[in-house]
């Protein structure tokens, strides 16, 4: 299956979510899946259905929702894994079962404790079973880049004979380098007699910073599917970044003459969405989607840009969805202009109530901030959407701070629609605020991460705050945005608590809602 068309397989919701502290709830996964579908991603790996009831539910709902993209579920080489995956995927318009087993000597000896002959038989059995359930089956050889060549050829040939139409060769531990990995893919093409009956895929991790380079090298050697994630998130050092793969193909067709079905103007919107949901901020110098990717401070660079933008920009900001504003927003802007701005920024149609709430928040922000930038509006709407439906709602916060102390926080919340308030002191204004939250919503979760990020430049910039809480080995991320850093901090902490509450409800006997009284809302 050659040609110049490259399939983009996004595993943000499976491999990406396996990043420590990166778990998403069902609503968040559906938002990301819809964004990926709108962007034109070919395959969405929605999760690992047997891993947990939450993963199974997410894959099931994504399978029911997504129509244009293939929806894929991961399964080990075991019947119960494959059956569980199919149970979740059977609702999909275009389902795919992705089954895998380790093939490297190291993994077979220490992880599987299986002989090579038994592993090869497991390949045949698992793919055959998957193919009996689903027409579209992908097979992966975990730790493929460290697998002995002859054994790899034999396993690939067996998987294709058993019914796999996609063969994935992963660099699971990010060990390969581009020339070596390209040689491996070329060798598979040359030595597997029935390879023409399958599409070759690659899944490269970034442990040595070579995930994208290895993926691109593999395309030139015959691969036609790349497995990647938004912002490069994933286990350990992450995966090959989707935005880097896609823009490399678009920018260098002279060296990489391949096409994808991705609408690149959706890249920034998708990047911001994943960052907001996971709490993983994109580093400023990150390729394509970093804040500095299209910034020019050097005088020499600025002079060149003024004369011809191509002197220092190899792609346009617009090509990745960075729209240069034609509407200047401020306190005098009307509802129609605000609605047009939301459309320009890539937000779909908001409901009338949601639009009204967003417009009111925009007006409040415009009264407090001299210049309202596109980034401010994105942060404002993302914050509104992430807190919609929360049972614990922020109402008001008053803080007394300064070097003389004591630092005091007067906090008002609504819990299931019931107003509650408390005053608390702490070692600094943030500590006092979080202490007040703990009084109103008692819990045993530990604060693992507290991170503040300025949305734009200037002392009046909105703050985006990320909070990570841990309880009994489970972590949740919360986000909040506001022109007041302390208010943003409270919102982020409450957002995390609401997610923790959802997890509690799912694990409670019978799935009953947790008691939200102030005496024991989240206590152990």
């Amino acid at each position: 299956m050659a040609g110049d068309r490259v399939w983009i397989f996004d595993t943000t919701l499976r491999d990406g979510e396996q990043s420590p502290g990166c778990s998403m709830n069902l609503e968040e996964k559906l938002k990301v899946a819809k964004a990926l579908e709108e962007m034109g991603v070919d395959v969405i790996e929605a999760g690992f259905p047997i891993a947990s009831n939450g993963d199974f539910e997410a894959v099931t709902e994504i399978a029911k929702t997504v129509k244009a993209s293939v929806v894929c579920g991961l399964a080990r080489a075991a019947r119960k894994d494959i059956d569980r995956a199919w149970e979740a995927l059977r609702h999909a318009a275009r389902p795919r079962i992705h089954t895998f087993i380790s093939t490297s000597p190291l993994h077979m000896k220490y992880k599987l404790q299986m002989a090579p002959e038994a592993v090869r038989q497991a390949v045949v059995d698992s793919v055959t079973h998957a193919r009996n359930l689903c027409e579209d089956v992908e097979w992966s050889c975990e730790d493929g880049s460290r697998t002995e060549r002859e054994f790899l050829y034999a396993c690939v040939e067996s998987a294709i004979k058993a019914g796999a139409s996609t063969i994935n060769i992963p660099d699971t531990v990010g060990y390969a380098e581009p020339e070596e990995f390209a040689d491996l893919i070329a060798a598979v093409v040359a030595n597997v007699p029935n390879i023409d009956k399958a599409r070759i895929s690659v899944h490269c991790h970034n442990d040595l910073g070579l995930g994208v380079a290895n993926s691109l090298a593999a395309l030139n050697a015959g691969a036609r599917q790349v497995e990647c994630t938004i912002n490069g998130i994933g286990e350990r050092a992450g995966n090959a970044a989707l935005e880097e793969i896609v823009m490399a193909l678009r920018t260098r067709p002279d060296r990489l003459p391949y096409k994808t079905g991705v609408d690149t103007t959706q890249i920034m919107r998708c990047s911001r969405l994943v960052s907001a949901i996971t709490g993983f901020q994109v580093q400023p110098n990150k390729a394509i989607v970093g804040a500095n990717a299209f910034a020019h401070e050097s005088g020499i660079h600025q002079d060149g840009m003024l004369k011809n933008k191509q002197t220092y920009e190899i792609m346009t900001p617009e090509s990745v969805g960075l729209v240069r504003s034609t509407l200047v927003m401020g306190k005098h802007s009307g509802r129609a202009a605000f609605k047009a701005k939301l459309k320009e920024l890539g937000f779909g149609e908001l409901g009338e109530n949601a639009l009204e709430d967003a417009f009111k928040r925009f007006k409040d922000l415009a009264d407090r901030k001299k210049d309202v930038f596109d980034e401010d509006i994105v942060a404002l709407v993302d914050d509104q959407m992430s807190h919609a439906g929360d049972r614990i709602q922020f109402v008001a916060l008053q803080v007394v701070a300064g070097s003389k102390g004591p630092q005091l926080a007067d906090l008002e919340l609504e819990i299931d629609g019931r107003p509650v308030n408390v005053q608390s002191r702490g070692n600094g204004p943030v500590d006092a605020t979080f202490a007040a939250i703990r009084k109103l919503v008692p819990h045993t979760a530990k604060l693992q991460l507290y991170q503040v990020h300025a949305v734009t430049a200037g002392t009046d910039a909105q703050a985006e705050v990320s909070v990570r809480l841990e309880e009994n080995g489970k972590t949740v991320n919360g986000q909040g945005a506001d022109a007041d850093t302390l208010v943003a901090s409270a919102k982020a902490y409450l957002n995390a608590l609401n997610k923790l509450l959802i997890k509690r409800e799912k694990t409670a006997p019978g799935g009953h809602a947790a008691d939200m009284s102030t005496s024991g809302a989240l206590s152990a």
Side-chain angles (χ1 to χ4, degrees):
M1 294 185 182
D4 65 354
R5 176 68 159 84
V6 171
W7 279 46
I8 298 299
F9 177 117
D10 183 275
T11 183
T12 301
L13 296 173
R14 200 278 301 170
D15 200 328
E17 203 214 6
Q18 291 175 199
S19 304
C22 197
S23 61
M24 310 176 208
N25 63 33
L26 174 59
E27 183 183 356
E28 291 167 341
K29 286 187 175 185
L30 281 169
K31 284 181 184 177
V32 173
K34 290 174 184 175
L36 293 171
E37 182 183 29
E38 289 171 7
M39 189 164 64
V41 164
D42 296 292
V43 185
I44 300 171
E45 189 164 51
F48 197 169
I50 204 167
S52 68
N53 289 334
D55 247 33
F56 176 81
E57 183 184 5
V59 176
T60 301
E61 291 305 313
I62 291 169
K64 291 177 180 178
T65 302
V66 170
K67 304 302 180 188
S69 304
V70 173
V71 178
C72 178
L74 189 66
R76 292 167 298 189
R79 289 181 73 93
K80 62 179 182 179
D81 278 47
I82 294 166
D83 289 342
R84 188 67 165 162
W86 178 243
E87 189 180 351
L89 291 167
R90 62 190 175 86
H91 309 281
R94 303 174 65 195
R96 174 183 294 185
I97 295 175
H98 180 191
T99 185
F100 72 98
I101 193 169
S102 296
T103 53
S104 70
L106 189 67
H107 278 223
M108 288 191 293
K109 180 178 179 180
Y110 293 103
K111 178 183 171 183
L112 300 180
Q113 297 181 339
M114 292 172 65
E117 297 78 14
V119 169
R120 188 175 179 186
Q121 187 58 51
V123 172
V124 174
D125 293 343
S126 59
V127 173
T128 299
H129 183 55
R131 183 62 183 80
N132 286 335
L133 298 172
C134 182
E135 289 187 7
D136 187 351
V137 175
E138 176 172 338
W139 176 76
S140 287
C141 47
E142 187 178 8
D143 206 21
S145 58
R146 295 192 296 178
T147 297
E148 292 176 342
R149 293 284 179 96
E150 293 302 322
F151 183 64
L152 178 62
Y153 305 151
C155 285
V156 170
E157 182 180 2
S158 295
I160 296 171
K161 278 184 180 177
S165 53
T166 302
I167 297 295
N168 181 43
I169 312 293
D171 184 26
T172 304
V173 292
Y175 182 71
E177 61 84 37
E179 186 176 351
E180 174 187 34
F181 196 60
D183 180 68
L184 173 62
I185 301 304
V188 169
V189 172
N191 291 282
V192 176
N194 57 356
I195 195 65
D196 60 311
K197 294 180 173 61
R199 178 179 292 112
I200 299 177
S201 176
V202 290
H203 178 118
C204 298
H205 277 263
N206 210 35
D207 297 71
L208 294 175
L210 297 172
V212 170
N214 284 335
S215 300
L216 296 176
L219 292 179
N220 280 333
R224 287 298 178 269
Q225 178 177 284
V226 177
E227 306 193 1
C228 43
T229 61
I230 299 296
N231 298 337
I233 64 172
E235 290 195 272
R236 303 184 312 280
N239 291 58
L242 179 149
E243 61 276 5
E244 296 177 25
I245 296 287
V246 170
M247 290 309 295
L249 299 183
R250 173 174 170 150
T251 306
R252 293 303 307 273
D254 55 323
R255 302 292 296 180
L256 300 161
Y258 314 111
K259 297 181 176 66
T260 75
V262 171
D263 175 4
T264 64
T265 64
Q266 297 290 319
I267 283 176
M268 283 303 302
R269 174 74 193 121
C270 219
S271 170
R272 287 165 174 163
L273 176 65
V274 170
S275 179
I277 286 175
T278 62
F280 279 32
Q281 297 292 338
V282 176
Q283 67 193 59
N285 62 323
K286 166 77 171 66
I288 314 299
V289 294
N292 294 346
F294 295 95
H296 307 275
E297 186 170 337
S298 160
I300 295 174
H301 286 213
Q302 290 174 344
D303 180 64
M305 285 291 294
L306 290 170
K307 293 172 179 173
N308 188 320
K309 289 182 179 180
Q310 291 182 339
T311 54
Y312 289 102
E313 282 187 353
I314 60 172
M315 65 196 93
T316 67
E318 291 82 1
S319 68
V320 298
L322 271 173
V323 180
R324 295 299 166 92
S325 181
T326 56
L327 290 171
V328 179
M329 304 301 293
K331 64 181 180 180
H332 299 298
S333 299
R335 187 176 282 95
F338 180 71
K339 188 175 181 179
K341 171 58 71 176
L342 292 183
K343 186 176 181 180
E344 182 182 297
L345 292 173
F347 289 100
E349 287 291 326
L350 296 182
E352 197 56 41
N353 290 339
L355 178 62
E356 190 62 34
D357 289 345
F359 183 64
K360 182 180 181 301
R361 294 186 66 185
F362 160 71
K363 283 290 195 176
D364 291 342
L365 180 64
D367 282 336
R368 302 163 68 186
K369 203 172 183 292
K370 182 179 178 182
D371 297 308
V372 179
F373 298 97
D374 288 357
E375 292 85 352
D376 289 313
I377 297 174
V378 169
L380 181 149
V381 178
D382 281 342
D383 181 67
Q384 176 184 320
M385 293 170 68
S386 68
H387 295 277
D390 283 353
R391 293 176 64 189
I392 312 169
Q393 292 277 357
F394 174 86
V395 177
L397 175 67
Q398 186 72 34
V399 177
V400 177
S403 60
K404 293 183 178 180
Q407 288 78 35
L408 300 172
D410 193 330
L411 177 68
E412 183 181 352
L413 306 177
E414 276 190 6
I415 299 179
D416 286 338
R418 182 171 55 86
V420 292
N421 69 281
V422 73
Q423 188 176 86
S424 186
R425 64 176 61 198
N427 184 23
V430 175
D431 186 52
T433 300
F434 289 176
I437 293 174
R438 285 193 295 272
K439 279 188 178 181
L440 291 177
V441 191
H443 58 277
T444 58
K446 296 179 180 177
L447 181 65
Q448 283 195 328
L449 172 74
Y450 171 72
Q451 190 174 63
V452 181
H453 168 70
V455 175
T456 58
T459 56
D460 64 350
Q462 273 195 105
E464 280 186 329
V465 175
S466 298
V467 162
R468 184 177 303 151
L469 299 180
E470 183 273 330
E471 182 185 63
N472 299 326
K474 301 291 185 181
T475 59
V476 289
N477 291 304
Q479 292 77 42
D482 197 88
D484 187 303
T485 303
L486 296 175
V487 172
S489 301
K491 287 181 176 180
Y493 200 106
L494 292 171
N495 186 230
L497 283 180
N498 276 289
K499 292 179 182 179
L500 196 58
L501 181 63
I502 292 171
K503 286 199 171 189
R504 285 285 188 87
E505 290 175 354
K506 287 183 176 179
T507 57
H512 297 302
D515 174 27
M516 290 300 294
S517 66
T518 57
S519 61
L522 287 166
S523 57

